[in-house]
Amino acid sequence: MATKLTLRNQWLARYAAALAAVGAGLLLRLGLTALVGEGLPTYITFYPVVMAVALFGGLGPGLLDTLTTALAVDYWLLSPTHSLSIANLVDAVGLVFFTGMGVFMSAVAALYRRAQRKVAAYDKELALRESQRHNAMLAGIIEHSSQAFGIGYPDGRLGLINRAFEQLTGYSGEELRNIDWAGTFTPPEWRELERKKLEEMNATGQPLRYEKEYLRK
């Protein structure tokens, strides 16, 4: 449910940003006109806005920004009476050309976003395979090492162990997966020292070294 709400919020944010970008492009053009005077190209501030919205928001927001910009330009800039009408053929051609280019830029940006996602997914897959290969290699080294190796968790479970650890303790791998390592392996006279060492490790988050005796099966 939370994921669905998050996705919906992201969708709303993308389209809301597309609508806000139309106003930003219009205000920017009005500001430039006040600064340098009349005569600026009609769509000078709107092309980069459409491209930015399509690139960061996707195809839908890009199309929404294009169509909303076309309506805003027609109403605020092309029509002397501020209505949805076009005074001459030149303005009509310019509006159609802008709309077509906006659709084109949105489509290109969408293809670019899709390609980027594929590249990212491919890189992630390569990294995962490399990590799995390294883990398999490390596990093989540990498994065939003559040095006993075992991972014990705070709740008493044993994680990764190798054959040398089985030989050291006298238990089979199946048995080791069903025992409490602290209570089974540690002699009573070593348990207080081990408890303090484990508390120290948990408190500092740093590895430490200590020696103890083991009880074999």
Side-chain angles (χ1 to χ4, degrees):
M1 184 65 178
T3 302
K4 290 182 179 179
L5 289 176
T6 301
L7 291 175
R8 182 180 180 184
N9 291 339
Q10 291 177 353
W11 183 88
L12 291 174
R14 287 163 51 214
Y15 282 88
L19 293 175
V22 177
L26 185 60
L27 289 175
L28 180 58
R29 190 187 187 285
L30 294 175
L32 286 175
T33 300
L35 182 65
V36 302
E38 297 290 341
L40 288 173
T42 305
Y43 303 98
I44 187 173
T45 61
F46 297 108
Y47 277 115
V49 169
V50 170
M51 177 55 74
V53 169
L55 193 59
F56 293 104
L59 178 62
L63 295 178
L64 177 63
D65 183 81
T66 298
L67 297 177
T68 308
T69 297
L71 293 174
V73 168
D74 184 18
Y75 184 85
W76 290 103
L77 303 179
L78 300 182
S79 175
T81 60
H82 295 304
S83 61
L84 294 178
S85 61
I86 301 176
N88 56 68
L89 182 60
V90 173
D91 289 340
V93 172
L95 187 61
V96 171
F97 184 79
F98 168 79
T99 303
M101 286 300 298
V103 172
F104 175 75
M105 289 190 296
S106 298
V108 170
L111 292 175
Y112 174 77
R113 282 166 54 86
R114 184 179 301 177
Q116 288 294 98
R117 287 195 296 267
K118 288 183 178 180
V119 169
Y122 180 72
D123 290 343
K124 184 177 180 180
E125 178 66 20
L126 285 182
L128 178 60
R129 290 181 183 179
E130 186 68 12
S131 176
Q132 290 173 340
R133 187 180 70 82
H134 286 167
N135 289 342
M137 181 178 66
L138 179 60
I141 292 173
I142 292 175
E143 176 62 22
H144 295 93
S145 173
S146 61
Q147 174 67 46
F149 182 90
I151 296 179
Y153 295 102
D155 61 1
R157 293 180 299 112
L158 278 171
L160 179 64
I161 55 175
N162 63 0
R163 295 176 186 176
F165 190 87
E166 295 179 20
Q167 295 171 357
L168 173 70
T169 61
Y171 291 91
S172 68
E174 183 65 29
E175 291 173 320
L176 289 172
R177 282 189 286 272
N178 294 284
I179 63 175
D180 183 328
W181 64 269
T184 303
F185 296 146
T186 306
E189 62 270 24
W190 290 91
R191 290 177 183 173
E192 181 62 20
L193 170 66
E194 184 165 68
R195 183 186 65 80
K196 291 181 179 179
K197 292 295 184 179
L198 294 177
E199 286 181 353
E200 179 184 346
M201 183 178 65
N202 289 330
T204 63
Q206 298 297 320
L208 56 86
R209 181 187 181 109
Y210 68 95
E211 295 183 358
K212 57 175 280 190
E213 293 180 351
Y214 267 70
L215 290 174
R216 283 180 54 81
K217 183 176 179 181

